Amino acid sequence: MNTPKTLQLLSGNEALALGAYHAGIQLAAAYPGTPSTEIMENLSRFKDIYAEWSTNEKVAMEVGMGAAYTGVRAMVSMKHVGLNVASDPFMAASMTGIIGGLVVVCADDPQIHSSQNEQDNRHYARLAKVPMLEPGDSQDVYDLMGYAFDISEEFDTPVLFRTTTRIAHSKSVVDAKGVRTVKNASPAFHFNVQKYVMLPVNALPRHAFIEKRLLRLKEYAETFPMNKIIRNGRKLGIVTSGVAYQYAREVFPKASFLKLGMTWPLPEKMIKEFAASVDRLIVIEELDPFLQDNIKSMGIPVTGKEFIPLVGELNTRIVTESGIGAGLLPETEKPDILSPADGLPRRPPLLCPGCPHTGIYFTLNTLGQRNKLLEAKGPAEPKLIITGDIGCYTLGAYPPLNVLDTTACMGAGIGQAMGMEKAGVKSKVVAVIGDSTFMHSGITGLVDAVYNDGHFTILILDNHTTAMTGHQEHPGTGISAQGEPTNAVDIESLCRGIGVKDLKVVNAFDVKALRDALRDSLAQPVLSVIIVRGACAMQVKKRANPRKVDAEKCVQCGYCLKLGCGAIQTVDGKVFIEPSLCAGDACGICQQLCPQKAIGI
């Protein structure tokens, strides 16, 4: 049977990019972050739109606002914590409204697969008083994109489009029958101070507009085609949205469902009619009781979070067990839990073999006597306090390196180091940040440290990519999101221009140079910046001369194992280097460190 060409197997992120493209977007801006990264990676393949990796989510949001003001359709995408960064312009966009459609895609991460928290960003829609759409699978993602832009333009508002990790990364068949149509091929900005300049005299009327807009949106939600009632039995009615709908349908096949594609504002009349048509109403949703609390506020008896977990991602097993606990399912429905297969190798989180961060982390470990911290029986202030940041270099917090004391959010490490130093800690303070994160929001911390006379050391680990999320470009690489050469921001010139006097650039694979540079900077009573530069191990294509261990010279001292390199392993108490993992000439750190000179080519 011939498959129609419109049918495609797409992940949620792929469907989102295609849906936005068919909906006629002309500009897309994003900052990479799991689980949203692939949206921009797919959009960047369409050469008839402008697509950029912005320096951070706030800038991406501002770029999207500017484009929408000229009448074109624009989309901004980010992971959930990115909306915290972008919240200032996001709230402003709600106030000014838009002209061309503006859709803000926010990918939440229930279960914290790759994030520092588990926040539920549905609250942002209520806070900003903007409409929010939530897909239940890739087909929903594709279909809702068209609605999102239409709603944005009809109601003069940005639209929040919320996905989750499971929706973003799972694949399902999509009937992508849309055809790209660009509504405004001639963008233009029209003078309108009352709309765009939020002086108090203009902002107050815009607030009144927002309240009226919300009332209009509530009426619209009642007839929104993606809010659907699926009738089955009347014994149990379930209100749900997103991927939770899939789990609920599988576990409760005889129940009736109100599946919400628009989850803010809620269709109150529709919910009341549905509630009246069933004997018992429950809500099945991930994370916070967002739907449940709002339905309760309508005066409707409803339960859900009394038995559905507040923490973590749902699945059919959890929903089933919750249903049994609530008396909605018989005990016989309890699923068997399969144990992991025996003999699977342990895979502790480690830096990659050949990682350019290994050498400086080993140096920090030894100079800071970090391993002694693990032996302390009570509170102990480290000899070196090391504030960290967000990126793959966060893995340095694990043994055997043990070199990070803090990790909070993007760019926070430099400000935290400043705060500790000004608080008067006795130890030397070092802030560690990657090049992409430095561009994202580390620059402002550095400006603060220069201006307020900080006396600590900042390590910028420059591997010339955004490695954590899959090697996306950033302003320091000189390559655009669409793979074209562009201007590169020079970190050394930027630091010197800000006012950094003690600046060093060190080869990440030269251990002696790393140790000398760090010792010198720590001895200086000024703000120091050391740029540790070396290519990401995953981008080194030529791997020659993997290192070997000379068994006759090796005394099994285990010093090389303190690097935490995945290529250096032990079997029956003897150290060897796995040649298929070793980066060879591109690294060589273990060879420099071996006290017995037992490692070589």
Side-chain angles (χ1 to χ4, degrees):
M1 185 177 72
N2 294 326
T3 303
K5 291 183 179 179
T6 59
L7 294 182
Q8 300 183 43
L9 183 63
L10 300 176
S11 71
N13 282 344
E14 291 169 336
L16 201 154
L18 185 59
Y21 182 72
H22 284 169
I25 68 163
Q26 293 166 266
L27 179 143
Y31 184 81
T34 305
S36 68
T37 307
E38 298 83 4
I39 299 169
M40 175 57 76
E41 290 182 333
N42 282 279
L43 278 171
S44 66
R45 295 169 185 160
F46 299 116
K47 301 304 181 186
D48 54 341
I49 66 171
Y50 172 79
E52 71 164 47
W53 290 121
S54 303
T55 48
N56 64 27
E57 298 84 356
K58 179 177 181 292
V59 173
M61 186 72 210
E62 292 157 350
V63 170
M65 287 171 70
Y69 286 173
T70 69
V72 307
R73 288 187 163 185
M75 191 173 78
V76 182
S77 57
M78 61 198 73
K79 68 180 296 175
H80 63 300
V81 289
L83 193 51
N84 300 336
V85 181
S87 60
D88 207 0
F90 175 65
M91 299 296 289
S94 171
M95 201 73 170
T96 66
I98 47 79
I99 297 297
L102 177 60
V103 175
V104 181
V105 180
C106 174
D108 284 11
D109 187 16
Q111 203 66 35
I112 316 184
H113 293 283
S114 181
S115 304
Q116 65 267 45
N117 75 7
E118 196 180 38
Q119 68 190 45
D120 188 332
N121 275 4
R122 292 179 295 178
H123 299 288
Y124 267 113
R126 182 170 179 167
L127 177 65
K129 303 183 178 184
V130 301
M132 177 171 61
L133 304 183
E134 283 193 80
D137 56 22
S138 295
Q139 183 69 60
D140 276 0
V141 171
Y142 178 84
D143 293 340
L144 279 170
M145 285 311 298
Y147 285 113
F149 284 102
D150 289 344
I151 292 169
S152 178
E153 291 172 350
E154 181 179 347
F155 292 92
D156 188 11
T157 177
V159 169
L160 186 61
F161 195 99
R162 180 189 185 248
T163 67
T164 59
T165 303
R166 200 59 54 182
I167 295 293
H169 289 167
S170 60
K171 291 199 173 193
S172 58
V173 175
V174 175
D175 186 2
K177 56 190 174 187
V179 177
R180 177 170 170 78
T181 304
V182 176
K183 293 184 66 175
N184 188 352
S186 302
F189 178 74
H190 299 289
F191 179 78
N192 189 342
V193 173
Q194 289 75 26
K195 180 174 174 60
Y196 297 124
V197 183
M198 286 302 99
L199 291 165
V201 67
N202 298 328
L204 205 57
R206 286 300 300 181
H207 185 192
F209 167 81
I210 288 174
E211 298 300 335
K212 293 178 182 175
R213 180 178 73 195
L214 198 56
L215 292 175
R216 291 172 55 218
L217 282 163
K218 284 182 178 178
E219 287 300 314
Y220 176 81
E222 302 288 352
T223 57
F224 181 55
M226 299 294 280
N227 288 338
K228 298 176 180 175
I229 292 177
I230 299 100
R231 296 285 183 193
N232 289 307
R234 66 164 291 128
K235 189 176 180 180
L236 181 66
I238 300 174
V239 182
T240 187
S241 65
V243 73
Y245 167 74
Q246 309 294 349
Y247 307 141
R249 279 299 302 272
E250 187 172 335
V251 175
F252 298 99
K254 297 179 181 178
S256 291
F257 288 86
L258 172 52
K259 179 193 176 193
L260 295 171
M262 177 183 276
T263 46
W264 193 258
L266 291 170
E268 185 169 345
K269 295 176 185 173
M270 192 178 195
I271 292 171
K272 286 182 174 177
E273 290 174 5
F274 180 70
S277 69
V278 296
D279 297 337
R280 180 176 178 180
L281 187 71
I282 67 170
V283 172
I284 295 179
E285 58 187 324
E286 284 184 326
L287 300 183
D288 293 347
F290 180 83
L291 297 177
Q292 183 179 347
D293 286 351
N294 282 293
I295 291 172
K296 274 185 179 176
S297 71
M298 299 172 188
I300 301 172
V302 62
T303 57
K305 286 302 174 183
E306 291 80 0
F307 49 91
I308 298 288
L310 279 161
V311 176
E313 194 175 33
L314 299 181
N315 55 39
T316 53
R317 180 183 60 80
I318 293 173
V319 173
T320 300
E321 292 177 348
S322 300
I324 293 171
L328 297 169
L329 292 169
E331 189 73 24
T332 53
E333 295 285 336
K334 198 167 185 175
D336 296 329
I337 299 175
L338 299 177
S339 300
D342 294 331
L344 293 176
R346 296 181 64 191
R347 298 183 186 277
L350 293 172
L351 297 172
C352 301
C355 175
H357 309 330
T358 302
I360 188 63
Y361 275 178
F362 181 83
T363 305
L364 285 167
N365 178 295
T366 52
L367 291 184
Q369 300 177 12
R370 302 287 297 183
N371 290 341
K372 287 186 177 180
L373 287 171
L374 302 177
E375 301 167 1
K377 296 181 179 178
E381 185 167 324
K383 186 177 180 182
L384 282 182
I385 300 174
I386 307 167
T387 58
D389 228 295
I390 304 293
C392 55
Y393 46 92
T394 311
L395 295 169
Y398 291 105
L401 295 169
N402 303 309
V403 287
L404 295 183
D405 292 307
T406 69
T407 300
C409 61
M410 295 286 282
I414 297 176
Q416 290 175 330
M418 183 74 178
M420 291 182 183
E421 189 252 312
K422 293 302 180 187
V425 295
K426 296 177 183 176
S427 306
K428 292 284 185 178
V429 184
V430 177
V432 177
I433 189 168
D435 52 328
S436 184
T437 312
F438 179 72
M439 294 290 178
H440 177 281
S441 49
I443 295 172
T444 47
L446 179 59
V447 170
D448 183 81
V450 171
Y451 173 63
N452 290 301
D453 196 22
H455 292 180
F456 59 95
T457 299
I458 299 171
L459 301 177
I460 301 176
L461 309 185
D462 182 8
N463 59 8
H464 217 57
T465 187
T466 311
M468 181 75 166
T469 48
H471 302 105
Q472 290 76 32
E473 307 297 339
H474 65 65
T477 67
I479 303 294
S480 74
Q482 294 179 302
E484 302 296 331
T486 184
N487 302 315
V489 176
D490 182 70
I491 296 178
E492 292 101 300
S493 299
L494 189 151
C495 290
R496 289 195 175 94
I498 289 173
V500 175
K501 299 293 191 297
D502 184 7
L503 176 66
K504 304 179 181 74
V505 181
V506 185
N507 181 345
F509 300 101
D510 186 338
V511 178
K512 182 177 184 303
L514 291 170
R515 188 182 295 119
D516 291 347
L518 188 56
R519 279 179 170 158
D520 181 72
S521 291
L522 291 173
Q524 302 296 327
V526 296
L527 179 73
S528 300
V529 173
I530 305 175
I531 300 171
V532 181
R533 183 162 289 150
C536 174
M538 294 295 101
Q539 293 189 314
V540 175
K541 296 178 180 176
K542 188 176 180 181
R543 292 175 173 242
N545 301 317
R547 295 317 190 242
K548 301 175 184 175
V549 178
D550 186 332
E552 294 186 0
K553 293 181 179 178
C554 180
V555 297
Q556 310 300 328
C557 66
Y559 202 67
C560 57
L561 295 172
K562 295 179 180 178
L563 287 170
C565 176
I568 306 175
Q569 304 174 12
T570 58
V571 172
D572 298 330
K574 294 185 178 180
V575 176
F576 78 101
I577 297 175
E578 171 54 49
S580 64
L581 296 176
C582 180
D585 291 344
C587 177
I589 289 178
C590 58
Q591 183 177 359
Q592 298 172 53
L593 292 176
C594 178
Q596 306 302 320
K597 306 299 180 187
I599 298 178
I601 297 173

